[in-house]
């Protein structure tokens, strides 16, 4: 303090911290490469790097599709046709087709795709509250895709004599 001469430490954290922290479970069945990438995406959120986090969310959806060998799916721009899309919109529909997610979950993943596209192509920054919601949705998708089978098997083992 300049007036009193008293020492008052000034602490500044690097990288800066966001208004919220993100918690995640340990996804045992998720490949290590995806787990590291997911951790980096969460670190971007925790550090307040919202644009990079939004891009990371979109990239996580791409990585999940790739990991599950989903290379295309029904073209959502042409419902009812046999047309397929190898873009992310089609891959999300491919996750539904392969029964990894429900149609309702696909609609939400499409919203995450739009958020990532806006961040990457328009440099639009997502607000912290929306980012938190987006990360919760991504976390739920990861649990559904990577953890449900293991949890079901564990319950089945506990039930068996």
């Amino acid at each position: 303090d300049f007036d009193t001469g008293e020492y008052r430490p000034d602490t500044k954290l690097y990288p800066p911290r966001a208004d919220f922290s993100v918690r995640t479970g340990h996804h045992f069945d998720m490949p290590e490469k995806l787990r590291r990438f997911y951790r980096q995406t969460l670190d971007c959120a925790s550090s307040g790097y919202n644009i990079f986090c939004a891009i990371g969310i979109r990239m996580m959806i791409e990585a999940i599709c790739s990991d599950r060998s989903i290379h295309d799916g029904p073209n959502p721009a042409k419902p009812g046709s046999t047309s397929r899309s190898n873009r992310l919109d089609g891959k999300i529909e491919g996750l539904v087709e392969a029964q990894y997610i429900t149609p309702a979950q696909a609609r939400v993943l499409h919203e995450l795709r739009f958020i990532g596209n806006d961040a990457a192509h328009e440099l639009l920054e997502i607000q912290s509250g929306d980012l938190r919601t987006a990360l919760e949705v991504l976390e739920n998708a990861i649990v559904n895709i990577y953890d449900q089978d293991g949890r079901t098997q564990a319950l089945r083992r506990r039930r068996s004599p």
Side-chain angles (χ1 to χ4, degrees):
D1 186 313
F2 288 113
D3 297 329
T4 65
E6 182 181 336
Y7 175 72
R8 291 188 182 176
D10 184 24
T11 304
K12 190 161 188 161
L13 300 175
Y14 292 96
R17 303 298 188 263
D19 297 337
F20 66 94
S21 63
V22 179
R23 291 185 153 182
T24 180
H26 183 75
H27 306 291
F28 294 101
D29 293 334
M30 181 191 274
E32 181 60 29
K33 184 177 182 179
L34 266 71
R35 197 175 320 178
R36 281 194 319 269
F37 186 73
Y38 185 43
R39 178 80 259 155
Q40 290 177 24
T41 300
L42 296 175
D43 287 347
C44 284
S46 296
S47 299
Y49 301 129
N50 294 6
I51 290 176
F52 293 111
C53 181
I55 294 168
I57 289 170
R58 187 193 187 286
M59 290 174 68
M60 274 299 299
I61 299 169
E62 285 273 10
I64 290 167
C65 291
S66 177
D67 176 62
R68 293 299 170 166
S69 299
I70 305 294
H71 305 293
D72 67 0
N75 188 341
K78 298 180 182 178
S81 78
T82 59
S83 174
R84 297 187 69 79
S85 172
N86 63 357
R87 299 179 328 178
L88 185 54
D89 61 350
K91 292 175 186 178
I92 291 171
E93 295 303 317
L95 288 171
V96 174
E97 190 174 60
Q99 298 183 345
Y100 286 114
I101 62 173
T102 67
Q105 291 168 320
R107 287 190 294 276
V108 177
L109 289 185
H110 283 298
E111 290 303 316
L112 299 185
R113 176 176 64 88
F114 295 138
I115 288 169
N117 287 349
D118 289 346
H121 302 294
E122 306 298 327
L123 300 177
L124 294 177
E125 186 168 359
I126 183 172
Q127 299 302 310
S128 292
D130 292 338
L131 185 63
R132 178 184 297 174
T133 300
L135 288 167
E136 288 169 357
V137 167
L138 180 61
E139 175 73 15
N140 287 335
I142 289 169
V143 167
N144 287 333
I145 293 168
Y146 290 102
D147 297 346
Q148 290 300 1
D149 285 343
R151 290 175 181 189
T152 302
Q153 290 172 11
L155 287 171
R156 192 172 293 136
R157 280 192 306 271
R158 289 185 197 115
R159 205 172 29 87
S160 298

